[in-house]
Amino acid sequence: NGQYIGGKESAIKECDPWEIPRHHVRVCSILGEGSFGQVWKCEAYNIMGFKGNMVVAVKTLKDNAGERERLDLVQELQVMKSLEPHPHVVKLLGCCSERDPLFVVMEYAKLGKLQSVLRNSRGVNYYTNTHGPSSLTSHELIMFCYQIAKGMDFLSSKGIIHRDLAARNILVTEERTCKISDFGFARDVANSRVYERKSEGRLPIRWMAPESLFDNMYSAKSDVWSFGVLMWEIVTLGSTPYPGVAAADVMKRIRDGYRLDKPQHCRREVYNIMFYCWDKCPDDRPDFAELMCLLDKLLVDET
Ligand code: ACK
C-alpha cells in the first residue's frame, strides 16, 4: 500500500552519478525518527545497476528541521559519497537531492541499531539484576567490537573523524554484521587531522574525550576514546555509560581522572583494551589498527 513519491519528476540531470529518479523510490514504512529526521524503509527500483526492487533505508528531514539540520544531512551525504564501499560502513546507494525533500538512500540493515540489538538480547531478568542468559555469546560481542574497529580503521585512514561513535549509531544486518552509520557530525579533516568544533549543538557527553569536552578538539584519537565507551556499551548489553550520574558530573569525573568501572561480567583483558582507549593523552591511546590486533588476539585465544 505504499506510494510512489513525486511520480511526475522528469529529466534528471546526468551530472551526479548518485542521483536516483525520485519515482523509483517507494515508501514501505517508517523505521524511526529523531527530533528533525526520519528514516524510512523503502523499495528502490533499478538502482545501482541492480535490476528490480531492492529494500533500502531512506533518510529525510522533517518539516520542522532548520538550516543546521539540513546542512548536517547534506554533510553526511557528502561524506558518504566520498567513501568507497567497506563491509563495516553503511553504504550509500544514491540520493534524490535535486529538489526537496532531500532523500539519502542507504543499504538496509535489518536488525537496526546495535543499541537495541544488545538490549533485546538481554535475559528476562536483567532489570531485577539477576542476569539471565543473553542470546549473544561473548565471542559475538567481541566480534562486534572487532568489526567496528575495522570500519573505524578504514574511516580514519580516509581522514574521516566520526565524532558520534556510539552503539546508537551502529547498524546490524540480518547476518549480524556491524556497520558504522550516522555521519551527520562527521568531518573530513584530511588536511588538518584535528578538527576544532566552532559551535555547540547537543553533545554526546558520555562518549566524548576530555579534549573534546573541554577544548573542542576532535581527532581520530577522540574517536578512539568513544570506541572504548562503545566497547563498554557492548559488554554491558547496551547500558547507558556512567549510570545514574548526571552529564555535568560525568564531565567533572572525567576531568578528575575517573573512568568507567569494569562491568561485572567483563574479562580483565577486555576491560584493559577499553581502559587503554581512555588515556588522558590522545597520543598514548591505541589507533584503530592496534585495536583490531588486540581484539583479533582475544578472538583467536578464545577458540
Ligand atoms: O533500531 P532501529 O530500527 O534502527 O531504529 C533506528 C531508526 O531507523 C532511526 O534511526 C533505523 N535505521 C537507520 N538507518 C537504517 C538502515 N540503514 N537500515 C535499517 N534501519 C535503519 C534505526
Side-chain angles (χ1 to χ4, degrees):
N1 63 347
Q3 287 179 319
Y4 283 95
I5 308 163
K8 287 250 170 66
E9 191 168 333
S10 59
I12 293 297
K13 285 182 215 139
E14 292 294 318
C15 51
D16 185 352
W18 290 104
E19 206 60 36
I20 294 174
R22 205 175 282 266
H23 62 277
H24 284 205
V25 179
R26 192 172 65 94
V27 174
C28 300
S29 56
I30 192 157
L31 289 167
E33 60 181 359
S35 14
F36 302 107
Q38 288 164 325
V39 182
W40 300 86
K41 183 177 178 183
C42 298
E43 269 181 358
Y45 179 70
N46 279 3
I47 62 163
M48 297 280 283
F50 183 90
K51 290 275 168 265
N53 283 322
M54 187 197 304
V55 177
V56 297
V58 174
K59 209 168 189 177
T60 59
L61 291 168
K62 294 209 287 203
D63 291 340
N64 65 339
E67 198 47 30
R68 185 201 181 97
E69 289 78 29
R70 195 192 150 73
L71 283 176
D72 279 347
L73 189 57
V74 170
Q75 171 74 29
E76 178 167 11
L77 176 60
Q78 278 316 112
V79 170
M80 290 178 94
K81 278 182 179 177
S82 74
L83 295 172
E84 63 254 40
H86 186 276
H88 301 299
V89 176
V90 168
K91 196 186 307 176
L92 179 70
L93 298 174
C95 59
C96 306
S97 61
E98 298 201 319
R99 62 176 173 79
D100 284 343
L102 170 61
F103 285 0
V104 176
V105 182
M106 305 171 288
E107 70 178 303
Y108 176 68
K110 189 170 182 184
L111 299 191
K113 284 191 269 192
L114 175 60
Q115 190 185 44
S116 322
V117 171
L118 293 167
R119 290 182 181 176
N120 293 338
S121 80
R122 290 175 175 187
V124 280
N125 291 328
Y126 192 90
Y127 288 101
T128 59
N129 239 352
T130 49
H131 293 236
S134 158
S135 58
L136 293 165
T137 64
S138 60
H139 185 86
E140 278 177 303
L141 296 176
I142 301 303
M143 186 60 93
F144 288 167
C145 298
Y146 176 79
Q147 293 176 348
I148 298 163
K150 197 165 178 180
M152 285 307 300
D153 177 55
F154 167 75
L155 289 178
S156 57
S157 78
K158 302 291 170 193
I160 306 274
I161 301 175
H162 190 290
R163 306 199 312 162
D164 197 10
L165 189 58
R168 62 181 170 275
N169 289 332
I170 304 293
L171 293 169
V172 185
T173 68
E174 194 168 15
E175 297 78 30
R176 293 187 170 179
T177 301
C178 287
K179 308 233 170 192
I180 298 163
S181 83
D182 279 275
F183 294 85
F185 282 159
R187 293 292 182 273
D188 185 342
V189 287
N191 300 321
S192 64
R193 290 287 155 199
V194 175
Y195 173 84
E196 197 165 348
R197 193 183 166 96
K198 297 283 188 292
S199 58
E200 304 239 332
R202 288 175 54 205
L203 296 173
I205 305 268
R206 291 165 204 270
W207 285 261
M208 284 167 67
E211 69 275 13
S212 312
L213 283 171
F214 303 111
D215 304 311
N216 282 325
M217 299 305 283
Y218 292 83
S219 65
K221 292 300 182 80
S222 58
D223 276 349
V224 165
W225 176 292
S226 309
F227 177 82
V229 180
L230 170 51
M231 275 187 71
W232 188 93
E233 288 184 274
I234 290 174
V235 167
T236 60
L237 301 179
S239 295
T240 300
Y242 314 96
V245 183
D249 294 328
V250 170
M251 292 178 67
K252 225 178 285 160
R253 291 203 196 183
I254 291 301
R255 198 186 41 209
D256 296 344
Y258 174 92
R259 299 293 183 260
L260 281 163
D261 291 326
K262 186 178 89 59
Q264 218 180 357
H265 299 285
C266 176
R267 283 160 56 202
R268 177 61 61 183
E269 304 93 291
V270 176
Y271 183 66
N272 285 348
I273 298 177
M274 50 184 111
F275 198 81
Y276 189 14
C277 297
W278 303 324
D279 202 297
K280 183 177 188 303
C281 175
D283 290 339
D284 293 340
R285 295 172 204 154
D287 59 17
F288 285 108
E290 185 178 357
L291 285 165
M292 280 171 65
C293 287
L294 293 169
L295 290 162
D296 187 48
K297 194 161 179 310
L298 283 186
L299 289 168
V300 171
D301 288 350
E302 241 180 17
T303 49

